[in-house]
Amino acid sequence: GQQLNQSPQSMFIQEGEDVSMNCTSSSIFNTWLWYKQDPGEGPVLLIALYKAGELTSNGRLTAQFGITRKDSFLNISASIPSDVGIYFCAGFTSGTYKYIFGTGTRLKVLA
Amino acid sequence: DAGVTQSPTHLIKTRGQQVTLRCSPISGHKSVSWYQQVLGQGPQFIFQYYEKEERGRGNFPDRFSARQFPNYSSELNVNALLLGDSALYLCASTGTGLREQYFGPGTRLTVT
């Protein structure tokens, strides 16, 4: 099935470092979403973005809705061991009910 | 308050069989959506139901069907199972807007 491109695919970082990941699409979306999934569990919604250019924070997480509406970025500041997991982006368009997830970024934090 | 619940947790089926998966949303949530997550990939959207009506459908064959009941719980049915249907099936419950979206733990389906 169709998936959005996420990069990097995986990353190892030291505790305390900042992390950046992005998601790109060939299609326009009117909503971008970021999720975190831990092993054996369902995804947890972290941030939802509804307008092009929107910048939204949730604690140490900050996400941006790209102005072209074809991309989005997620930053995690001062990473901690519990940030370990797989981060997924998703694009959503309500009119056509297109709802596409990304390929995921696997984050590992070294204490 | 209970979160999204799904049953069963795991099941094993044989090719050609049929399966029914169940989901109970968070109390007060009227929208339920279903996703298929193959190992190592992101979830794929299958269906979305709101107030017992189908509002969205992903790119899945007609072997996949779903329904939502008056109490807003939902069932996903898959007929004529194929080996490629082996996956984690996730259900999500949504309140007023996507910011109130919560996933259940999933049902792990193995087709042999």
Coordinates of all heavy atoms in Angstrom, one line a residue, chain A residues 5-89:
Chain A
N5 N 7.1 9.0 2.7 CA 8.5 8.8 3.0 C 9.0 9.5 4.2 O 8.8 10.7 4.4 CB 9.4 9.3 1.8 CG 9.1 8.5 0.5 OD1 9.1 7.3 0.6 ND2 9.0 9.2 -0.6
Q6 N 9.5 8.8 5.2 CA 10.0 9.4 6.4 C 11.6 9.2 6.4 O 12.1 8.1 6.0 CB 9.5 8.7 7.6 CG 8.1 9.2 8.0 CD 7.6 8.6 9.3 OE1 6.7 7.8 9.4 NE2 8.3 9.0 10.4
S7 N 12.2 10.2 6.9 CA 13.7 10.1 7.1 C 14.1 10.8 8.4 O 13.5 11.7 8.8 CB 14.4 10.7 5.9 OG 14.2 12.1 5.8
P8 N 15.1 10.2 9.1 CA 15.8 9.0 8.7 C 15.0 7.8 9.0 O 14.0 7.9 9.7 CB 17.1 9.1 9.5 CG 16.6 9.8 10.8 CD 15.7 10.8 10.3
Q9 N 15.4 6.6 8.5 CA 14.7 5.4 8.7 C 14.9 5.0 10.2 O 14.0 4.4 10.8 CB 15.2 4.3 7.8 CG 14.5 3.0 7.9 CD 15.0 2.0 6.8 OE1 16.0 2.2 6.2 NE2 14.2 1.0 6.5
S10 N 16.1 5.2 10.7 CA 16.4 4.9 12.1 C 17.6 5.8 12.5 O 18.3 6.3 11.7 CB 16.8 3.4 12.3 OG 18.0 3.1 11.6
M11 N 17.7 6.0 13.8 CA 18.7 6.8 14.4 C 19.0 6.4 15.8 O 18.1 6.1 16.6 CB 18.4 8.3 14.3 CG 17.1 8.7 14.9 SD 16.5 10.3 14.3 CE 17.9 11.4 14.5
F12 N 20.3 6.5 16.1 CA 20.8 6.3 17.5 C 21.3 7.6 17.9 O 22.1 8.3 17.2 CB 22.0 5.3 17.5 CG 21.6 3.9 17.2 CD1 21.4 3.4 15.9 CD2 21.5 3.0 18.3 CE1 21.1 2.1 15.7 CE2 21.2 1.7 18.0 CZ 21.0 1.2 16.7
I13 N 20.9 8.1 19.1 CA 21.4 9.3 19.6 C 21.7 9.2 21.1 O 21.3 8.2 21.7 CB 20.3 10.4 19.5 CG1 19.0 10.1 20.2 CG2 20.0 10.7 18.0 CD1 18.1 11.2 20.4
Q14 N 22.5 10.1 21.6 CA 22.8 10.2 23.0 C 21.7 10.9 23.8 O 21.1 11.8 23.3 CB 24.2 10.9 23.2 CG 25.4 10.2 22.6 CD 25.8 9.0 23.5 OE1 25.5 8.9 24.6 NE2 26.5 8.1 22.8
E15 N 21.5 10.4 25.0 CA 20.5 11.1 25.9 C 20.9 12.6 26.0 O 22.1 12.9 26.1 CB 20.6 10.4 27.2 CG 19.5 11.0 28.2 CD 19.5 10.3 29.5 OE1 20.3 9.3 29.7 OE2 18.8 10.7 30.4
G16 N 19.9 13.4 25.9 CA 20.2 14.9 26.0 C 20.3 15.6 24.6 O 20.2 16.8 24.6
E17 N 20.5 14.8 23.6 CA 20.6 15.4 22.2 C 19.2 15.7 21.7 O 18.2 15.2 22.1 CB 21.3 14.4 21.3 CG 22.8 14.3 21.5 CD 23.4 13.4 20.4 OE1 22.7 12.7 19.7 OE2 24.7 13.4 20.4
D18 N 19.2 16.6 20.7 CA 18.0 17.0 20.0 C 17.8 16.1 18.8 O 18.8 15.6 18.2 CB 18.0 18.4 19.6 CG 18.0 19.4 20.7 OD1 17.7 18.9 21.9 OD2 18.3 20.6 20.5
V19 N 16.6 15.8 18.4 CA 16.3 14.9 17.3 C 15.4 15.6 16.3 O 14.5 16.3 16.7 CB 15.6 13.6 17.8 CG1 15.1 12.7 16.6 CG2 16.4 12.9 18.8
S20 N 15.7 15.4 15.0 CA 14.8 15.9 13.9 C 14.5 14.8 13.0 O 15.4 14.0 12.6 CB 15.6 17.0 13.2 OG 15.7 18.1 14.0
M21 N 13.3 14.7 12.5 CA 12.9 13.8 11.5 C 11.8 14.4 10.6 O 11.2 15.4 11.0 CB 12.3 12.5 12.2 CG 11.1 12.7 13.0 SD 10.6 11.2 14.0 CE 11.8 11.2 15.3
N22 N 11.7 13.9 9.4 CA 10.7 14.6 8.5 C 10.0 13.6 7.7 O 10.3 12.4 7.7 CB 11.4 15.6 7.6 CG 12.4 15.0 6.7 OD1 12.0 14.1 5.9 ND2 13.6 15.5 6.7
C23 N 8.9 14.1 7.1 CA 8.0 13.2 6.3 C 7.6 14.0 5.0 O 7.3 15.2 5.1 CB 6.8 13.0 7.2 SG 5.6 11.9 6.5
T24 N 7.7 13.3 3.9 CA 7.4 14.0 2.6 C 6.4 13.2 1.8 O 6.3 11.9 1.9 CB 8.7 14.2 1.8 OG1 9.3 12.9 1.5 CG2 9.7 15.1 2.5
S25 N 5.7 13.9 1.0 CA 4.6 13.3 0.2 C 4.6 13.9 -1.2 O 5.0 15.0 -1.4 CB 3.3 13.5 0.9 OG 2.2 13.2 0.0
S26 N 4.1 13.1 -2.2 CA 3.9 13.7 -3.5 C 2.5 14.3 -3.5 O 2.1 15.0 -4.5 CB 4.0 12.7 -4.6 OG 3.1 11.6 -4.3
S27 N 1.7 14.1 -2.5 CA 0.3 14.6 -2.5 C 0.2 15.7 -1.4 O 0.9 15.7 -0.4 CB -0.7 13.5 -2.2 OG -0.6 12.4 -3.1
I28 N -0.8 16.5 -1.6 CA -1.2 17.6 -0.6 C -2.1 17.0 0.4 O -3.0 16.2 0.1 CB -1.8 18.8 -1.3 CG1 -0.8 19.5 -2.1 CG2 -2.5 19.7 -0.3 CD1 -1.3 20.6 -3.0
F29 N -1.9 17.3 1.7 CA -2.8 17.0 2.8 C -3.3 18.2 3.5 O -2.6 19.2 3.5 CB -2.1 16.0 3.8 CG -1.8 14.7 3.2 CD1 -0.5 14.3 2.8 CD2 -2.8 13.7 3.0 CE1 -0.2 13.1 2.2 CE2 -2.5 12.5 2.5 CZ -1.2 12.2 2.0
N30 N -4.4 18.2 4.1 CA -4.9 19.3 4.9 C -4.7 19.1 6.4 O -5.1 20.0 7.2 CB -6.3 19.8 4.5 CG -7.3 18.7 4.7 OD1 -7.2 17.8 5.5 ND2 -8.4 18.7 3.9
T31 N -4.2 17.9 6.8 CA -3.9 17.6 8.2 C -2.7 16.7 8.2 O -2.6 15.8 7.4 CB -5.1 16.9 8.9 OG1 -6.2 17.7 8.8 CG2 -4.7 16.6 10.4
W32 N -1.8 17.1 9.1 CA -0.6 16.2 9.3 C -0.6 15.8 10.8 O -0.9 16.5 11.7 CB 0.7 16.9 9.1 CG 1.1 17.0 7.6 CD1 0.7 18.1 6.8 CD2 1.8 16.1 6.8 NE1 1.2 17.8 5.5 CE2 1.8 16.6 5.5 CE3 2.3 14.8 7.1 CZ2 2.5 15.9 4.5 CZ3 3.0 14.2 6.1 CH2 3.0 14.7 4.8
L33 N -0.3 14.5 11.0 CA -0.3 13.9 12.4 C 1.0 13.2 12.7 O 1.6 12.6 11.7 CB -1.5 12.9 12.5 CG -2.8 13.5 12.1 CD1 -3.6 12.5 11.3 CD2 -3.6 13.9 13.3
W34 N 1.4 13.2 13.9 CA 2.6 12.5 14.3 C 2.3 11.6 15.5 O 1.6 12.0 16.4 CB 3.7 13.5 14.8 CG 4.4 14.1 13.6 CD1 4.1 15.3 13.0 CD2 5.5 13.6 12.9 NE1 4.9 15.6 12.0 CE2 5.8 14.5 11.8 CE3 6.3 12.4 12.9 CZ2 6.9 14.4 10.9 CZ3 7.3 12.3 12.0 CH2 7.6 13.2 11.0
Y35 N 2.7 10.3 15.4 CA 2.4 9.3 16.4 C 3.7 8.7 16.9 O 4.7 8.6 16.2 CB 1.6 8.2 15.8 CG 0.3 8.6 15.2 CD1 0.2 9.0 13.9 CD2 -0.9 8.4 15.9 CE1 -1.1 9.4 13.3 CE2 -2.1 8.7 15.4 CZ -2.2 9.2 14.1 OH -3.4 9.5 13.6
K36 N 3.7 8.1 18.1 CA 4.7 7.2 18.6 C 4.2 5.9 18.9 O 3.1 5.8 19.5 CB 5.4 7.9 19.8 CG 6.5 7.0 20.5 CD 7.1 7.7 21.6 CE 8.2 7.0 22.3 NZ 7.8 6.0 23.2
Q37 N 4.9 4.8 18.5 CA 4.4 3.5 18.8 C 5.5 2.7 19.5 O 6.6 2.6 19.0 CB 4.0 2.7 17.5 CG 3.4 1.4 17.7 CD 2.8 0.8 16.4 OE1 3.3 1.0 15.3 NE2 1.8 -0.1 16.5
D38 N 5.1 2.1 20.6 CA 6.0 1.3 21.4 C 5.7 -0.2 21.1 O 4.6 -0.5 20.6 CB 5.8 1.5 22.9 CG 6.3 2.9 23.3 OD1 7.3 3.4 22.7 OD2 5.7 3.4 24.3
P39 N 6.7 -1.1 21.2 CA 6.5 -2.5 20.9 C 5.2 -3.1 21.6 O 5.0 -2.9 22.8 CB 7.7 -3.2 21.4 CG 8.8 -2.1 21.4 CD 8.0 -0.8 21.8
G40 N 4.4 -3.8 20.8 CA 3.2 -4.4 21.3 C 2.1 -3.5 21.6 O 1.1 -4.0 22.2
E41 N 2.2 -2.3 21.2 CA 1.1 -1.3 21.6 C 0.6 -0.6 20.3 O 1.3 -0.6 19.3 CB 1.5 -0.3 22.6 CG 1.9 -0.9 23.9 CD 2.4 0.1 24.9 OE1 2.1 1.3 24.7 OE2 3.0 -0.3 25.9
G42 N -0.6 0.0 20.4 CA -1.0 0.8 19.3 C -0.3 2.2 19.3 O 0.2 2.6 20.3
P43 N -0.4 2.9 18.2 CA 0.2 4.2 18.1 C -0.4 5.2 19.1 O -1.6 5.1 19.4 CB 0.0 4.7 16.7 CG -0.3 3.4 15.9 CD -0.9 2.5 16.9
V44 N 0.3 6.2 19.6 CA -0.2 7.2 20.4 C -0.1 8.5 19.7 O 1.1 8.9 19.2 CB 0.5 7.3 21.8 CG1 0.1 8.5 22.6 CG2 0.3 6.0 22.6
L45 N -1.1 9.3 19.5 CA -1.1 10.6 18.8 C -0.3 11.6 19.7 O -0.6 11.8 20.8 CB -2.5 11.1 18.6 CG -2.6 12.4 17.9 CD1 -2.0 12.3 16.4 CD2 -4.0 12.9 17.8
L46 N 0.7 12.2 19.0 CA 1.6 13.2 19.7 C 1.1 14.6 19.4 O 1.0 15.4 20.3 CB 3.0 13.0 19.3 CG 3.7 11.6 19.6 CD1 5.1 11.6 18.9 CD2 3.7 11.4 21.1
I47 N 1.0 14.9 18.1 CA 0.7 16.2 17.6 C -0.2 16.1 16.4 O 0.1 15.3 15.5 CB 2.0 17.0 17.3 CG1 2.8 17.3 18.6 CG2 1.7 18.3 16.6 CD1 4.1 18.0 18.4
A48 N -1.1 17.0 16.3 CA -2.0 17.2 15.1 C -1.8 18.6 14.5 O -1.8 19.6 15.3 CB -3.4 16.9 15.4
L49 N -1.6 18.7 13.2 CA -1.4 20.0 12.6 C -2.5 20.2 11.5 O -2.7 19.3 10.7 CB 0.0 20.1 12.0 CG 1.2 19.8 12.9 CD1 2.4 19.3 12.1 CD2 1.5 21.1 13.6
Y50 N -3.1 21.4 11.5 CA -4.2 21.6 10.6 C -4.0 22.7 9.6 O -4.9 22.8 8.7 CB -5.5 22.0 11.5 CG -5.9 20.9 12.4 CD1 -5.6 20.9 13.7 CD2 -6.6 19.8 11.9 CE1 -6.0 19.9 14.6 CE2 -7.0 18.7 12.7 CZ -6.7 18.8 14.0 OH -7.1 17.8 14.9
K51 N -3.0 23.5 9.7 CA -2.8 24.6 8.7 C -1.4 24.7 8.2 O -0.4 24.5 9.0 CB -3.1 26.0 9.4 CG -4.6 26.2 9.6 CD -5.0 27.6 9.9 CE -4.2 28.3 11.0 NZ -4.8 29.6 11.3
A52 N -1.2 25.0 6.9 CA 0.1 25.1 6.3 C 0.9 26.2 7.1 O 0.4 27.3 7.4 CB 0.0 25.5 4.9
G53 N 2.1 25.8 7.4 CA 3.0 26.7 8.2 C 2.8 26.6 9.7 O 3.6 27.2 10.5
E54 N 1.8 25.9 10.2 CA 1.6 25.8 11.6 C 2.7 25.2 12.3 O 3.3 24.2 11.9 CB 0.3 25.0 11.8 CG -0.1 24.8 13.3 CD -1.4 24.0 13.5 OE1 -2.0 23.7 12.4 OE2 -1.6 23.6 14.6
L55 N 3.1 25.7 13.5 CA 4.1 25.2 14.3 C 3.5 24.9 15.7 O 2.9 25.8 16.3 CB 5.3 26.2 14.5 CG 6.5 25.7 15.2 CD1 7.3 24.7 14.4 CD2 7.4 27.0 15.5
T56 N 3.5 23.7 16.1 CA 2.8 23.3 17.4 C 3.8 22.5 18.3 O 4.5 21.6 17.8 CB 1.6 22.4 17.1 OG1 0.7 23.2 16.3 CG2 0.9 21.9 18.3
S57 N 3.7 22.8 19.6 CA 4.6 22.1 20.5 C 3.7 21.3 21.5 O 2.6 21.6 21.8 CB 5.4 23.1 21.3 OG 6.4 23.7 20.5
N58 N 4.3 20.2 22.0 CA 3.7 19.3 23.0 C 4.9 18.9 23.9 O 5.5 17.9 23.7 CB 3.0 18.1 22.4 CG 2.4 17.2 23.4 OD1 2.4 17.5 24.6 ND2 2.0 16.0 23.0
G59 N 5.1 19.7 24.9 CA 6.3 19.4 25.8 C 7.6 19.6 25.1 O 7.8 20.7 24.5
R60 N 8.4 18.5 25.0 CA 9.7 18.6 24.3 C 9.5 18.4 22.8 O 10.5 18.4 22.1 CB 10.6 17.6 24.9 CG 11.0 17.9 26.4 CD 12.0 16.8 26.9 NE 11.3 15.5 27.0 CZ 11.6 14.5 26.1 NH1 12.5 14.7 25.2 NH2 10.9 13.4 26.3
L61 N 8.3 18.1 22.4 CA 8.1 17.9 20.9 C 7.6 19.1 20.2 O 6.7 19.8 20.8 CB 7.1 16.7 20.8 CG 7.5 15.3 20.9 CD1 8.1 15.0 22.3 CD2 6.4 14.4 20.6
T62 N 8.1 19.3 19.0 CA 7.6 20.4 18.2 C 7.5 19.9 16.8 O 8.4 19.2 16.3 CB 8.6 21.6 18.2 OG1 8.8 22.1 19.5 CG2 8.1 22.7 17.3
A63 N 6.3 20.2 16.2 CA 6.1 19.7 14.8 C 5.7 20.9 13.9 O 5.1 21.9 14.4 CB 5.0 18.6 14.8
Q64 N 6.0 20.8 12.7 CA 5.6 21.9 11.7 C 4.9 21.3 10.5 O 5.3 20.3 10.0 CB 6.8 22.7 11.3 CG 6.4 23.9 10.4 CD 7.4 25.0 10.3 OE1 8.6 24.7 10.6 NE2 7.0 26.2 10.0
F65 N 3.9 22.0 10.0 CA 3.1 21.6 8.8 C 3.8 22.4 7.7 O 3.8 23.7 7.7 CB 1.7 22.1 9.0 CG 0.7 21.6 8.0 CD1 -0.6 21.3 8.4 CD2 1.0 21.6 6.7 CE1 -1.5 20.9 7.5 CE2 0.1 21.2 5.7 CZ -1.2 20.9 6.1
G66 N 4.4 21.8 6.8 CA 5.2 22.5 5.7 C 4.3 23.4 4.9 O 3.1 23.1 4.7
I67 N 4.8 24.5 4.4 CA 4.0 25.5 3.7 C 3.5 24.9 2.3 O 2.6 25.4 1.8 CB 4.8 26.8 3.5 CG1 6.1 26.6 2.8 CG2 5.0 27.5 4.8 CD1 6.8 27.9 2.4
T68 N 4.2 23.9 1.8 CA 3.7 23.3 0.5 C 2.6 22.3 0.7 O 2.0 21.9 -0.2 CB 4.9 22.6 -0.2 OG1 5.2 21.4 0.6 CG2 6.1 23.5 -0.4
R69 N 2.3 22.0 2.0 CA 1.3 21.0 2.4 C 1.7 19.6 2.0 O 0.9 18.7 2.1 CB -0.1 21.4 1.9 CG -0.6 22.7 2.5 CD -1.8 23.2 1.8 NE -2.9 22.3 1.9 CZ -4.0 22.3 1.1 NH1 -4.1 23.3 0.2 NH2 -5.0 21.4 1.3
K70 N 3.0 19.4 1.6 CA 3.4 18.1 1.2 C 4.5 17.6 2.1 O 5.1 16.5 1.9 CB 4.0 18.2 -0.2 CG 3.0 18.5 -1.3 CD 3.7 18.4 -2.7 CE 2.7 18.6 -3.8 NZ 3.3 18.6 -5.1
D71 N 4.8 18.2 3.2 CA 5.7 17.7 4.2 C 5.5 18.2 5.6 O 4.7 19.1 5.8 CB 7.2 18.0 3.7 CG 7.4 19.5 3.5 OD1 6.5 20.3 3.9 OD2 8.5 19.9 3.0
S72 N 6.1 17.5 6.5 CA 6.0 17.9 7.9 C 7.3 17.5 8.6 O 8.0 16.6 8.2 CB 4.8 17.2 8.6 OG 4.6 17.6 9.9
F73 N 7.5 18.2 9.8 CA 8.8 17.9 10.5 C 8.4 17.7 12.0 O 7.5 18.3 12.5 CB 9.7 19.1 10.4 CG 10.0 19.5 8.9 CD1 9.2 20.3 8.2 CD2 11.1 18.9 8.3 CE1 9.4 20.7 6.9 CE2 11.4 19.2 7.0 CZ 10.5 20.1 6.3
L74 N 9.2 16.8 12.6 CA 9.1 16.6 14.1 C 10.4 16.8 14.7 O 11.4 16.2 14.3 CB 8.5 15.3 14.4 CG 8.4 14.9 15.9 CD1 7.3 15.8 16.6 CD2 8.1 13.4 16.1
N75 N 10.5 17.6 15.8 CA 11.7 17.7 16.5 C 11.5 17.3 18.0 O 10.4 17.6 18.5 CB 12.2 19.2 16.5 CG 12.6 19.6 15.1 OD1 13.4 19.0 14.5 ND2 12.0 20.7 14.7
I76 N 12.4 16.6 18.6 CA 12.4 16.3 20.0 C 13.6 16.9 20.6 O 14.7 16.6 20.2 CB 12.4 14.7 20.2 CG1 11.3 14.1 19.4 CG2 12.3 14.4 21.7 CD1 11.4 12.5 19.4
S77 N 13.4 17.7 21.6 CA 14.5 18.3 22.3 C 14.9 17.5 23.5 O 14.1 16.9 24.2 CB 14.2 19.8 22.7 OG 13.1 19.8 23.6
A78 N 16.2 17.6 23.9 CA 16.8 17.0 25.1 C 16.2 15.6 25.3 O 15.5 15.3 26.3 CB 16.4 17.9 26.3
S79 N 16.5 14.7 24.4 CA 16.0 13.3 24.4 C 16.3 12.6 25.7 O 17.3 12.8 26.3 CB 16.5 12.5 23.2 OG 17.9 12.5 23.2
I80 N 15.3 11.7 26.1 CA 15.5 10.9 27.2 C 15.2 9.4 26.8 O 14.7 9.2 25.8 CB 14.5 11.3 28.3 CG1 13.0 11.2 27.8 CG2 14.8 12.7 28.8 CD1 12.0 11.6 28.9
P81 N 15.7 8.5 27.7 CA 15.5 7.0 27.3 C 14.1 6.6 26.9 O 13.9 5.8 26.0 CB 16.0 6.3 28.5 CG 17.0 7.2 29.1 CD 16.5 8.6 28.9
S82 N 13.1 7.2 27.5 CA 11.7 6.8 27.2 C 11.2 7.3 25.8 O 10.1 7.0 25.4 CB 10.7 7.2 28.3 OG 10.7 8.7 28.4
D83 N 12.0 8.1 25.1 CA 11.7 8.6 23.8 C 11.9 7.4 22.8 O 11.5 7.6 21.6 CB 12.5 9.8 23.4 CG 12.2 11.0 24.1 OD1 11.0 11.1 24.6 OD2 13.0 11.9 24.3
V84 N 12.5 6.3 23.2 CA 12.8 5.2 22.3 C 11.4 4.7 21.8 O 10.4 4.6 22.5 CB 13.5 4.1 23.1 CG1 13.4 2.8 22.3 CG2 14.9 4.4 23.4
G85 N 11.4 4.4 20.5 CA 10.2 3.9 19.9 C 10.2 4.2 18.4 O 11.2 4.6 17.8
I86 N 9.1 3.9 17.7 CA 9.0 4.2 16.3 C 8.0 5.4 16.2 O 6.9 5.4 16.7 CB 8.4 3.0 15.5 CG1 9.3 1.8 15.7 CG2 8.3 3.3 14.0 CD1 8.9 0.5 15.1
Y87 N 8.4 6.4 15.4 CA 7.6 7.6 15.2 C 7.1 7.5 13.7 O 7.8 7.3 12.8 CB 8.5 8.8 15.4 CG 8.9 9.0 16.8 CD1 9.9 8.3 17.4 CD2 8.2 9.9 17.6 CE1 10.3 8.5 18.7 CE2 8.5 10.1 19.0 CZ 9.5 9.4 19.5 OH 9.9 9.5 20.8
F88 N 5.8 7.7 13.7 CA 5.1 7.7 12.4 C 4.4 9.0 12.1 O 3.8 9.6 13.0 CB 4.0 6.6 12.3 CG 4.4 5.2 12.3 CD1 4.4 4.4 13.4 CD2 4.9 4.6 11.1 CE1 4.8 3.1 13.4 CE2 5.4 3.3 11.1 CZ 5.3 2.6 12.3
C89 N 4.6 9.5 10.9 CA 3.8 10.6 10.4 C 2.5 10.1 9.7 O 2.5 8.9 9.3 CB 4.6 11.5 9.5 SG 5.0 10.8 7.9

